Amino acid sequence: MEFPSRSPSEMIAILHAIADSMFTLGIDLPFTKYHKGLKGHEEMTAIVEESIRVMEGHTPKDGQPIKALSRILDAEDEDGNGIDMDFIINTVIVLLSAGYDTVSSTMDTIFHGLALNPKIWDNLRKEQRRVMERFGSDITREALDAMVYAMAVVNEGLRAQPMVPFVFKRAEKSFELGGYQIPVGMQVISGYGFTTRYLDGRWSDRDEFRPERFLEVGADKMDSFAPFGMGAHLCLGKELGLVQMLVLLVVLARDYEVRLQNPNARVEMMPFPHAEDGCMAMVHRLPSSRA
Ligand code: HEM
């Protein structure tokens, strides 16, 4: 199968243009982020459309894994109607956008926190040695479940800089909340990011990157910790995102160390974590792990 050829950096540039346009005023002029976001969306639509055409002409051989996209293309309701092509294209773009910047920016927060706190990296490496002694070097489900400290590091990254500060909803029925009447149809903002980062008094050291807080009783079970939202629209990619972050973190922890490239570079965390010199942290392969 020949998919449209775009390098990873070209794809990332398009996804960034789309993400950067999300919190803008919607003014469509050639120099605005909004305009660049629209162009990015057009370009992504063309790439996805072309990929779908390639997949439609492809008959999977016996035993080949069925791709998620083929399933969507073949899906029919009880009357034999397929899914509208515009809907499929937009769904693919939403999944790419929702899944890319959230995960990569949370990893930026994590690596920056680790570069500032070498002790945490040491603890991660020690845990990996214990896990490998028990399960070998393959990253299986059982091995992942045993990586309690690494999971606490991922949770701390999600807490320290929540990637989705808030989402807009509309009340489907009237209700009362904390003494306020919310009428049907009113726009409601769910501030998951704020509750995750700020709202719990037990997290008084909230500006510190301290994974240990998640090893203390039930910290990740608190309602205020909701980096993936909650309820009917809980993040669809929650499990995928968690596994991606955990696997990347522990693979690097086994053979690499993490350092700040320029300890004096200013780091801004809003709207996405970014360093003045463009580098949140550097990972270096440890001499002992080189073949
Ligand atoms: C660090 C990683 C991620 C974070 C922090 C995150 C966070 C969120 C949040 C807060 C919401 C809104 C939930 C709500 O409206 O109540 C959401 C929705 C969503 N996310 Fe994620 N997400 C992440 C990764 C992903 C990935 C990897 C994918 C897919 C590949 C994904 C796909 C979606 C989709 C499709 C929705 C809309 C769900 C719906 O409206 O029913 N997300 N995410």
Coordinates of all heavy atoms in Angstrom, one line a residue, residues 48-125:
V48 N -5.8 12.6 4.6 CA -6.6 11.5 5.1 C -7.5 11.0 4.0 O -7.6 9.8 3.8 CB -7.5 12.0 6.3 CG1 -8.5 11.0 6.7 CG2 -6.7 12.5 7.5
E49 N -8.0 11.9 3.1 CA -8.8 11.5 2.0 C -8.0 10.5 1.1 O -8.5 9.5 0.7 CB -9.3 12.7 1.2 CG -10.7 12.7 0.9 CD -11.2 14.0 0.3 OE1 -10.4 15.0 0.3 OE2 -12.3 14.0 -0.3
E50 N -6.8 10.9 0.8 CA -5.9 10.1 -0.1 C -5.6 8.8 0.6 O -5.6 7.8 -0.1 CB -4.6 10.9 -0.3 CG -4.0 10.7 -1.6 CD -2.7 11.6 -1.7 OE1 -2.7 12.7 -1.3 OE2 -1.7 11.0 -2.1
S51 N -5.4 8.8 1.9 CA -5.1 7.5 2.6 C -6.3 6.6 2.5 O -6.1 5.4 2.4 CB -4.7 7.8 4.1 OG -3.7 8.7 4.2
I52 N -7.5 7.2 2.7 CA -8.7 6.4 2.7 C -8.8 5.7 1.3 O -9.1 4.6 1.1 CB -9.9 7.2 3.0 CG1 -9.9 7.5 4.5 CG2 -11.2 6.4 2.7 CD1 -11.0 8.5 5.0
R53 N -8.5 6.5 0.2 CA -8.7 6.0 -1.1 C -7.7 4.8 -1.3 O -8.0 3.8 -1.9 CB -8.4 7.1 -2.2 CG -9.6 7.3 -3.0 CD -9.5 8.4 -4.0 NE -9.8 9.7 -3.5 CZ -8.9 10.7 -3.5 NH1 -7.7 10.6 -3.9 NH2 -9.3 11.8 -2.9
V54 N -6.5 4.9 -0.8 CA -5.5 3.9 -0.9 C -6.0 2.6 -0.2 O -6.0 1.5 -0.7 CB -4.1 4.3 -0.3 CG1 -3.2 3.1 -0.2 CG2 -3.5 5.4 -1.1
M55 N -6.6 2.8 1.0 CA -7.1 1.7 1.8 C -8.3 1.0 1.1 O -8.4 -0.2 1.1 CB -7.5 2.1 3.2 CG -6.3 2.5 4.0 SD -6.6 2.2 5.7 CE -6.6 0.5 5.8
E56 N -9.1 1.8 0.5 CA -10.3 1.3 -0.2 C -9.9 0.3 -1.3 O -10.6 -0.7 -1.6 CB -11.2 2.4 -0.8 CG -12.1 3.0 0.3 CD -12.9 4.1 -0.3 OE1 -12.4 4.8 -1.2 OE2 -14.0 4.4 0.2
G57 N -8.8 0.6 -2.0 CA -8.4 -0.2 -3.1 C -7.6 -1.4 -2.7 O -7.0 -2.2 -3.5
H58 N -7.5 -1.6 -1.4 CA -6.6 -2.7 -0.8 C -7.4 -3.8 -0.2 O -8.3 -3.6 0.6 CB -5.7 -2.0 0.2 CG -4.8 -3.1 0.9 ND1 -3.7 -3.6 0.4 CD2 -5.0 -3.6 2.2 CE1 -3.2 -4.5 1.2 NE2 -4.0 -4.5 2.3
T59 N -7.2 -5.0 -0.7 CA -7.9 -6.2 -0.1 C -6.9 -6.8 0.9 O -5.9 -7.3 0.5 CB -8.2 -7.2 -1.2 OG1 -8.5 -6.5 -2.4 CG2 -9.4 -8.1 -0.8
P60 N -7.3 -6.8 2.2 CA -6.4 -7.5 3.2 C -6.2 -9.0 2.9 O -7.2 -9.6 2.6 CB -7.1 -7.3 4.5 CG -8.2 -6.4 4.3 CD -8.5 -6.4 2.8
K61 N -4.9 -9.4 3.0 CA -4.7 -10.8 2.8 C -5.1 -11.6 4.0 O -5.2 -11.0 5.1 CB -3.2 -11.1 2.5 CG -2.7 -10.4 1.3 CD -1.3 -10.9 1.0 CE -0.6 -10.1 -0.1 NZ -0.1 -8.8 0.4
D62 N -5.4 -12.9 3.9 CA -5.8 -13.7 5.0 C -4.7 -13.6 6.1 O -3.5 -13.6 5.9 CB -5.9 -15.2 4.6 CG -7.2 -15.5 4.1 OD1 -8.1 -14.5 4.1 OD2 -7.5 -16.6 3.6
G63 N -5.2 -13.5 7.4 CA -4.3 -13.4 8.5 C -3.7 -12.1 8.8 O -3.1 -11.9 9.8
Q64 N -3.9 -11.1 7.8 CA -3.3 -9.8 8.1 C -4.2 -9.0 9.1 O -5.5 -9.2 9.0 CB -3.4 -9.0 6.8 CG -2.0 -8.5 6.4 CD -2.1 -7.5 5.3 OE1 -3.1 -7.1 4.8 NE2 -0.9 -7.1 4.8
P65 N -3.7 -8.3 10.0 CA -4.5 -7.6 11.0 C -5.4 -6.6 10.3 O -5.0 -6.0 9.3 CB -3.5 -6.9 11.9 CG -2.2 -6.9 11.2 CD -2.2 -8.0 10.2
I66 N -6.7 -6.5 10.8 CA -7.6 -5.6 10.2 C -7.4 -4.2 10.8 O -7.4 -4.1 12.0 CB -9.1 -6.1 10.4 CG1 -9.3 -7.4 9.8 CG2 -10.1 -5.0 9.9 CD1 -10.6 -8.1 10.2
K67 N -7.2 -3.2 10.0 CA -6.9 -1.9 10.5 C -8.2 -1.2 10.9 O -9.3 -1.5 10.4 CB -6.3 -1.0 9.4 CG -5.1 -1.6 8.7 CD -3.8 -1.3 9.5 CE -2.6 -1.7 8.9 NZ -2.5 -3.1 8.4
A68 N -8.1 -0.4 11.9 CA -9.3 0.3 12.5 C -10.0 1.1 11.4 O -11.2 1.0 11.3 CB -8.8 1.3 13.6
L69 N -9.2 1.7 10.5 CA -9.8 2.5 9.4 C -10.7 1.6 8.5 O -11.8 2.0 8.1 CB -8.8 3.3 8.6 CG -9.3 4.3 7.7 CD1 -10.2 5.3 8.4 CD2 -8.1 5.1 7.0
S70 N -10.2 0.4 8.2 CA -11.0 -0.5 7.3 C -12.3 -0.8 7.9 O -13.3 -0.9 7.3 CB -10.3 -1.8 7.0 OG -8.9 -1.7 7.0
R71 N -12.3 -1.0 9.3 CA -13.5 -1.3 10.0 C -14.5 -0.2 9.9 O -15.7 -0.4 9.7 CB -13.2 -1.6 11.4 CG -12.6 -2.9 11.6 CD -12.7 -3.3 13.1 NE -12.1 -4.6 13.2 CZ -12.5 -5.5 14.1 NH1 -13.5 -5.2 14.9 NH2 -12.0 -6.7 14.2
I72 N -14.0 1.1 10.0 CA -14.9 2.2 9.9 C -15.5 2.3 8.5 O -16.6 2.6 8.3 CB -14.2 3.5 10.3 CG1 -13.6 3.4 11.7 CG2 -15.1 4.7 10.2 CD1 -12.8 4.6 12.1
L73 N -14.6 2.1 7.5 CA -15.0 2.2 6.1 C -16.1 1.2 5.8 O -17.0 1.4 5.0 CB -13.9 2.0 5.1 CG -12.8 3.1 5.1 CD1 -11.6 2.7 4.3 CD2 -13.4 4.4 4.6
D74 N -16.0 0.0 6.4 CA -16.9 -1.1 6.1 C -18.2 -1.1 6.9 O -19.1 -1.9 6.7 CB -16.2 -2.5 6.3 CG -15.1 -2.7 5.3 OD1 -15.1 -1.9 4.3 OD2 -14.2 -3.5 5.5
A75 N -18.2 -0.3 8.0 CA -19.3 -0.3 8.9 C -20.6 0.1 8.3 O -20.6 1.0 7.4 CB -19.0 0.6 10.1
E76 N -21.7 -0.6 8.6 CA -23.0 -0.3 8.1 C -24.0 -0.4 9.2 O -23.8 -1.2 10.2 CB -23.4 -1.3 7.1 CG -22.7 -1.2 5.7 CD -23.1 -2.2 4.7 OE1 -23.9 -3.1 5.1 OE2 -22.7 -2.1 3.6
D77 N -25.1 0.4 9.2 CA -26.2 0.3 10.1 C -27.1 -0.8 9.7 O -26.9 -1.4 8.6 CB -26.9 1.6 10.4 CG -27.6 2.1 9.2 OD1 -27.8 1.4 8.3 OD2 -28.0 3.3 9.2
E78 N -28.2 -1.1 10.4 CA -29.1 -2.2 10.1 C -29.8 -2.0 8.8 O -30.2 -3.0 8.1 CB -30.1 -2.5 11.2 CG -30.9 -1.3 11.8 CD -30.1 -0.4 12.7 OE1 -28.9 -0.6 12.9 OE2 -30.7 0.6 13.2
D79 N -29.8 -0.8 8.2 CA -30.4 -0.6 6.9 C -29.4 -0.6 5.8 O -29.6 -0.2 4.6 CB -31.2 0.8 6.9 CG -32.3 0.9 7.9 OD1 -32.9 -0.2 8.1 OD2 -32.4 1.9 8.5
G80 N -28.1 -0.9 6.1 CA -27.1 -1.1 5.1 C -26.4 0.3 4.7 O -25.7 0.4 3.8
N81 N -26.7 1.3 5.5 CA -26.1 2.6 5.2 C -24.7 2.7 5.8 O -24.5 2.4 7.0 CB -26.9 3.8 5.8 CG -28.3 3.8 5.3 OD1 -28.5 3.6 4.1 ND2 -29.3 3.9 6.2
G82 N -23.7 3.1 5.0 CA -22.3 3.3 5.5 C -22.2 4.6 6.3 O -23.2 5.4 6.4
I83 N -21.0 4.9 6.7 CA -20.8 6.2 7.4 C -20.4 7.2 6.4 O -19.6 7.0 5.5 CB -19.7 6.0 8.5 CG1 -20.1 4.9 9.5 CG2 -19.5 7.4 9.3 CD1 -19.1 4.6 10.6
D84 N -20.9 8.4 6.6 CA -20.7 9.6 5.7 C -19.1 9.9 5.6 O -18.5 9.9 6.7 CB -21.5 10.7 6.2 CG -21.2 12.0 5.5 OD1 -21.3 12.0 4.3 OD2 -20.8 13.0 6.2
M85 N -18.6 10.0 4.4 CA -17.1 10.2 4.2 C -16.6 11.4 5.0 O -15.5 11.4 5.6 CB -16.8 10.3 2.7 CG -15.3 10.2 2.4 SD -14.5 8.8 3.2 CE -14.9 7.5 2.2
D86 N -17.3 12.6 4.9 CA -16.9 13.8 5.7 C -16.7 13.5 7.2 O -15.8 13.9 7.8 CB -17.8 14.9 5.5 CG -17.6 15.6 4.2 OD1 -16.6 15.3 3.5 OD2 -18.5 16.4 3.8
F87 N -17.7 12.7 7.7 CA -17.7 12.3 9.1 C -16.4 11.5 9.4 O -15.8 11.7 10.4 CB -19.0 11.6 9.5 CG -19.1 11.3 10.9 CD1 -19.5 12.3 11.8 CD2 -18.8 10.1 11.4 CE1 -19.6 12.0 13.2 CE2 -18.8 9.8 12.8 CZ -19.3 10.8 13.6
I88 N -16.1 10.5 8.5 CA -15.0 9.7 8.7 C -13.7 10.5 8.7 O -12.8 10.4 9.6 CB -14.9 8.6 7.7 CG1 -16.1 7.6 7.8 CG2 -13.6 7.8 7.8 CD1 -16.1 6.5 6.7
I89 N -13.6 11.4 7.7 CA -12.4 12.2 7.6 C -12.2 13.1 8.9 O -11.1 13.1 9.5 CB -12.4 13.1 6.3 CG1 -12.3 12.2 5.1 CG2 -11.3 14.1 6.3 CD1 -12.6 12.9 3.8
N90 N -13.3 13.7 9.3 CA -13.2 14.6 10.5 C -12.9 13.8 11.7 O -12.1 14.3 12.6 CB -14.4 15.4 10.6 CG -14.4 16.6 9.7 OD1 -13.4 17.3 9.7 ND2 -15.4 16.9 9.0
T91 N -13.4 12.6 11.8 CA -13.1 11.7 13.0 C -11.7 11.4 13.1 O -11.0 11.5 14.1 CB -14.0 10.4 13.0 OG1 -15.3 10.8 12.9 CG2 -13.8 9.6 14.2
V92 N -11.1 11.1 11.9 CA -9.7 10.7 11.9 C -8.8 11.9 12.3 O -7.9 11.8 13.1 CB -9.2 10.2 10.5 CG1 -7.7 10.0 10.4 CG2 -10.0 8.9 10.1
I93 N -9.2 13.1 11.8 CA -8.4 14.3 12.1 C -8.6 14.6 13.6 O -7.6 15.0 14.3 CB -8.9 15.5 11.3 CG1 -8.6 15.3 9.8 CG2 -8.2 16.8 11.7 CD1 -9.0 16.3 8.8
V94 N -9.8 14.5 14.2 CA -10.0 14.7 15.6 C -9.1 13.8 16.4 O -8.4 14.2 17.4 CB -11.5 14.5 16.0 CG1 -11.6 14.4 17.5 CG2 -12.3 15.7 15.5
L95 N -9.1 12.5 16.0 CA -8.2 11.5 16.7 C -6.8 11.9 16.7 O -6.0 11.8 17.6 CB -8.5 10.1 16.2 CG -9.8 9.5 16.6 CD1 -10.0 8.1 15.9 CD2 -10.0 9.3 18.1
L96 N -6.3 12.3 15.4 CA -4.9 12.6 15.3 C -4.6 13.9 16.2 O -3.6 13.9 16.9 CB -4.6 13.0 13.8 CG -4.5 11.8 12.9 CD1 -4.3 12.3 11.4 CD2 -3.3 10.9 13.2
S97 N -5.5 14.9 16.1 CA -5.2 16.1 16.8 C -5.3 15.9 18.3 O -4.4 16.3 19.1 CB -6.2 17.2 16.5 OG -6.2 17.4 15.1
A98 N -6.4 15.2 18.8 CA -6.6 15.0 20.2 C -5.5 14.1 20.8 O -5.2 14.2 21.9 CB -8.0 14.4 20.4
G99 N -5.0 13.2 20.0 CA -4.0 12.2 20.5 C -2.6 12.7 20.4 O -1.7 12.1 21.0
Y100 N -2.3 13.7 19.6 CA -0.9 14.1 19.4 C -0.3 15.1 20.4 O 0.5 14.8 21.2 CB -0.6 14.6 18.0 CG 0.8 15.2 17.9 CD1 1.9 14.3 18.0 CD2 1.0 16.5 17.8 CE1 3.2 14.9 18.0 CE2 2.2 17.1 17.8 CZ 3.3 16.2 17.9 OH 4.6 16.8 18.0
D101 N -0.9 16.3 20.4 CA -0.3 17.3 21.3 C -0.5 17.0 22.8 O 0.3 17.4 23.6 CB -1.0 18.7 21.0 CG 0.0 19.5 20.1 OD1 1.2 19.4 20.3 OD2 -0.5 20.2 19.2
T102 N -1.6 16.3 23.1 CA -1.8 16.0 24.5 C -0.7 15.1 25.1 O -0.1 15.4 26.1 CB -3.2 15.2 24.7 OG1 -3.2 14.2 23.7 CG2 -4.4 16.2 24.6
V103 N -0.4 14.0 24.3 CA 0.6 13.1 24.8 C 2.0 13.7 24.7 O 2.8 13.6 25.7 CB 0.5 11.8 23.9 CG1 1.7 10.9 24.2 CG2 -0.8 11.0 24.2
S104 N 2.3 14.3 23.6 CA 3.7 14.9 23.4 C 3.9 16.0 24.4 O 5.0 16.1 25.0 CB 4.0 15.3 22.0 OG 3.1 16.4 21.7
S105 N 2.9 16.8 24.7 CA 3.2 17.9 25.6 C 3.2 17.4 27.1 O 4.0 18.0 27.9 CB 2.0 19.0 25.5 OG 2.1 19.6 24.3
T106 N 2.5 16.4 27.4 CA 2.6 15.8 28.8 C 4.0 15.2 28.9 O 4.6 15.3 30.0 CB 1.5 14.8 29.0 OG1 0.2 15.4 28.8 CG2 1.5 14.3 30.4
M107 N 4.5 14.6 27.8 CA 5.8 14.0 27.9 C 6.9 15.2 28.1 O 7.9 15.0 28.8 CB 6.2 13.2 26.7 CG 5.5 11.9 26.6 SD 5.5 10.8 28.1 CE 7.2 10.4 28.3
D108 N 6.6 16.3 27.5 CA 7.5 17.5 27.7 C 7.6 17.9 29.2 O 8.6 18.1 29.7 CB 7.0 18.7 26.9 CG 7.6 18.7 25.5 OD1 8.5 17.8 25.2 OD2 7.1 19.4 24.6
T109 N 6.3 17.9 29.8 CA 6.3 18.3 31.2 C 7.0 17.3 32.0 O 7.8 17.6 32.9 CB 4.8 18.3 31.7 OG1 4.1 19.2 30.8 CG2 4.7 18.8 33.1
I110 N 6.8 16.0 31.7 CA 7.5 14.9 32.5 C 9.0 15.0 32.4 O 9.7 15.0 33.4 CB 6.9 13.5 32.0 CG1 5.5 13.4 32.4 CG2 7.8 12.4 32.6 CD1 4.8 12.1 31.9
F111 N 9.5 15.1 31.1 CA 10.9 15.1 31.0 C 11.6 16.4 31.6 O 12.7 16.3 32.1 CB 11.3 15.0 29.5 CG 11.2 13.6 29.1 CD1 10.3 13.2 28.1 CD2 12.0 12.6 29.7 CE1 10.2 11.9 27.7 CE2 11.9 11.2 29.3 CZ 11.0 10.9 28.3
H112 N 10.9 17.5 31.5 CA 11.4 18.7 32.2 C 11.4 18.5 33.7 O 12.5 18.8 34.4 CB 10.5 19.9 31.8 CG 11.1 21.2 32.3 ND1 10.5 21.9 33.3 CD2 12.2 21.9 31.9 CE1 11.3 23.0 33.5 NE2 12.3 23.0 32.7
G113 N 10.4 17.9 34.3 CA 10.3 17.6 35.7 C 11.4 16.7 36.1 O 12.1 16.8 37.1
L114 N 11.7 15.7 35.2 CA 12.7 14.7 35.5 C 14.1 15.3 35.4 O 15.0 15.0 36.2 CB 12.6 13.5 34.6 CG 11.4 12.6 34.8 CD1 11.2 11.6 33.7 CD2 11.4 11.9 36.1
A115 N 14.3 16.2 34.4 CA 15.6 16.8 34.3 C 16.0 17.7 35.5 O 17.1 17.8 35.9 CB 15.7 17.6 33.0
L116 N 14.9 18.3 36.1 CA 15.2 19.1 37.3 C 15.3 18.3 38.5 O 15.8 18.8 39.5 CB 14.0 20.0 37.5 CG 13.8 21.2 36.5 CD1 12.5 21.9 36.7 CD2 14.9 22.2 36.6
N117 N 14.9 17.0 38.5 CA 14.9 16.2 39.7 C 15.6 14.8 39.4 O 14.9 13.8 39.3 CB 13.5 15.9 40.2 CG 12.8 17.2 40.6 OD1 13.0 17.7 41.6 ND2 11.9 17.7 39.7
P118 N 16.9 14.8 39.3 CA 17.6 13.5 39.0 C 17.3 12.3 39.9 O 17.3 11.2 39.5 CB 19.1 13.9 39.1 CG 19.2 15.3 39.2 CD 17.8 15.9 39.6
K119 N 16.9 12.6 41.1 CA 16.6 11.6 42.1 C 15.4 10.7 41.6 O 15.3 9.5 41.7 CB 16.2 12.2 43.4 CG 15.9 11.3 44.5 CD 17.2 10.8 45.2 CE 16.9 9.6 46.1 NZ 17.1 8.3 45.7
I120 N 14.4 11.4 40.9 CA 13.2 10.7 40.4 C 13.7 9.8 39.3 O 13.2 8.6 39.2 CB 12.2 11.7 39.9 CG1 11.8 12.7 41.0 CG2 10.9 11.0 39.4 CD1 10.8 13.8 40.6
W121 N 14.6 10.3 38.4 CA 15.1 9.4 37.3 C 15.8 8.2 37.9 O 15.6 7.1 37.5 CB 16.0 10.2 36.4 CG 16.4 9.6 35.1 CD1 17.6 9.0 34.8 CD2 15.5 9.4 34.0 NE1 17.5 8.5 33.5 CE2 16.3 8.8 33.0 CE3 14.2 9.8 33.7 CZ2 15.8 8.5 31.8 CZ3 13.7 9.4 32.5 CH2 14.4 8.8 31.5
D122 N 16.5 8.4 39.0 CA 17.2 7.2 39.7 C 16.2 6.2 40.2 O 16.3 5.0 40.0 CB 18.0 7.7 40.9 CG 19.3 8.3 40.6 OD1 19.7 8.2 39.4 OD2 20.0 8.8 41.5
N123 N 15.1 6.8 40.8 CA 14.1 5.9 41.3 C 13.4 5.1 40.2 O 13.1 3.9 40.3 CB 13.0 6.7 42.1 CG 13.5 7.2 43.4 OD1 14.5 6.8 43.8 ND2 12.8 8.3 43.9
L124 N 13.2 5.8 39.1 CA 12.6 5.1 37.9 C 13.5 4.0 37.4 O 13.0 2.9 37.1 CB 12.5 6.1 36.7 CG 11.2 6.8 36.5 CD1 11.3 7.8 35.4 CD2 10.1 5.8 36.2
R125 N 14.8 4.3 37.3 CA 15.7 3.2 36.8 C 15.8 2.0 37.8 O 15.9 0.9 37.4 CB 17.1 3.9 36.7 CG 17.2 4.8 35.5 CD 18.5 5.5 35.3 NE 19.6 4.6 35.2 CZ 20.0 3.8 34.2 NH1 19.2 3.9 33.1 NH2 21.0 3.0 34.3

